[in-house]
Amino acid sequence: MKSSIQRVKAIVFDTFGTVVDWRGSIIRDLSAWGECEGVKADWAALADKWRGRYEPEKDRVRTGEIAWTNLDELHAHALDQVLAELDLEALSVDHRRHINRVWHRLEGWPDAVEGLTRIKRRYVIGPLSNGNVALLVNMAKHAGLPWDNVFSCELFRHYKPHPETYLGVCRLMYLDPAEVMMCAAHNGDLAAARAAGLKTAFIPRPTEHGPGQKTDLEPTQDWDVVANDVIELAERVGA
């Protein structure tokens, strides 16, 4: 273990993309559901268009255009627009609600549960995610993610990369920033965590956005730890 991370007592994880395969999960889940319900759609296109509205929706909160709104509600607002684009406006309220809750039913990457279980033996672990509390708790139940706690940005009323999200974890855990490590598959998330004083770990997820992904394929800074997956991260941090 690097001497630079020997003080670390808690490791928090970006969740969408780093721990769970949001795109693959959405496509698989809604394809199966659509067959049962007789709903035909290009579910890959829906997943991509929907995720494409992720940052713009959060920016509405960040800029003060709208008051604090949790991610389930932002997802629902974005979904209505995506369904209109895909000529699926006729879907019922119940269908829309089921689709929106697919984010509660995401599956972990194959290495996630084993790696997290190992890390949990030595460190406090939890998601530091833009997902709201109910979403993250339900996802953990569904995917078997062994969190000690859920550090939802809903608790801090700010979305990442606002410093309060990273420092909020430190405050809740009575830890110094250098005692908390942020793990993410996104260099921008880690840069913000580092700026707040946290330690950093990078895990590449080169298929998060599908086969044509061009971003976050490799680390762009000298992060404290770089690992191929969560299992290797466990090894690197002595768990």
Side-chain angles (χ1 to χ4, degrees):
M1 186 193 308
K2 285 185 177 181
S3 59
S4 64
I5 65 169
Q6 286 183 346
R7 291 185 60 203
V8 170
K9 296 178 181 176
I11 302 179
V12 292
F13 293 78
D14 168 74
T15 305
F16 301 121
T18 302
V19 175
V20 297
D21 174 15
W22 61 265
R23 185 178 188 271
S25 297
I26 289 173
I27 294 169
R28 290 188 295 271
D29 183 297
L30 296 182
S31 293
W33 171 79
E35 267 193 54
C36 292
E37 293 292 320
V39 178
K40 295 183 179 180
D42 184 341
W43 298 113
L46 181 141
D48 292 336
K49 286 178 177 291
W50 203 0
R51 186 64 172 185
R53 295 181 179 273
Y54 185 62
E55 291 302 327
E57 283 292 323
K58 288 183 294 176
D59 281 343
R60 296 169 64 219
V61 176
R62 293 178 180 128
T63 62
E65 177 186 337
I66 59 174
W68 169 259
T69 305
N70 75 24
L71 195 61
D72 269 340
E73 295 174 18
L74 294 181
H75 275 156
H77 180 262
L79 178 62
D80 286 342
Q81 299 173 61
V82 171
L83 292 178
E85 290 179 22
L86 296 177
D87 296 322
L88 293 169
E89 294 166 290
L91 286 179
S92 69
V93 171
D94 285 345
H95 280 170
R96 289 169 187 255
R97 185 178 297 116
H98 179 84
I99 293 171
N100 197 52
R101 285 182 65 87
V102 72
W103 297 93
H104 295 228
R105 303 189 298 271
L106 303 183
E107 300 286 349
W109 293 105
D111 54 277
V113 172
E114 180 182 343
L116 291 175
T117 300
R118 286 180 55 180
I119 295 170
K120 179 186 173 79
R121 294 174 191 150
R122 178 164 184 164
Y123 301 89
V124 172
I125 64 168
L128 175 52
S129 171
N130 289 317
N132 46 293
V133 172
L135 184 160
L136 293 171
V137 169
N138 291 336
M139 183 200 303
K141 281 288 189 184
H142 178 81
L145 305 176
W147 303 128
D148 289 308
N149 194 15
V150 168
F151 300 103
S152 165
C153 288
E154 186 175 29
L155 300 174
F156 313 122
R157 299 278 167 151
H158 290 286
Y159 285 116
K160 293 187 294 180
H162 195 287
E164 175 58 23
T165 59
Y166 308 100
L167 296 176
V169 173
C170 305
R171 187 179 68 251
L172 289 176
M173 294 303 300
Y174 291 91
L175 296 174
D176 294 332
E179 295 176 304
V180 178
M181 174 179 282
M182 179 77 206
C183 175
H186 311 120
N187 286 283
D189 198 354
L190 295 182
R194 172 174 278 179
L198 276 67
K199 297 301 181 182
T200 53
F202 178 79
I203 292 176
R205 296 298 191 188
T207 60
E208 175 190 354
H209 295 279
Q213 181 170 325
K214 297 179 180 179
T215 59
D216 291 317
L217 299 178
E218 57 186 25
T220 58
Q221 294 187 37
D222 59 336
W223 308 122
D224 296 292
V225 178
V226 175
N228 288 318
D229 56 29
V230 186
I231 294 172
E232 186 175 320
L233 176 64
E235 296 169 359
R236 295 289 179 87
V237 298

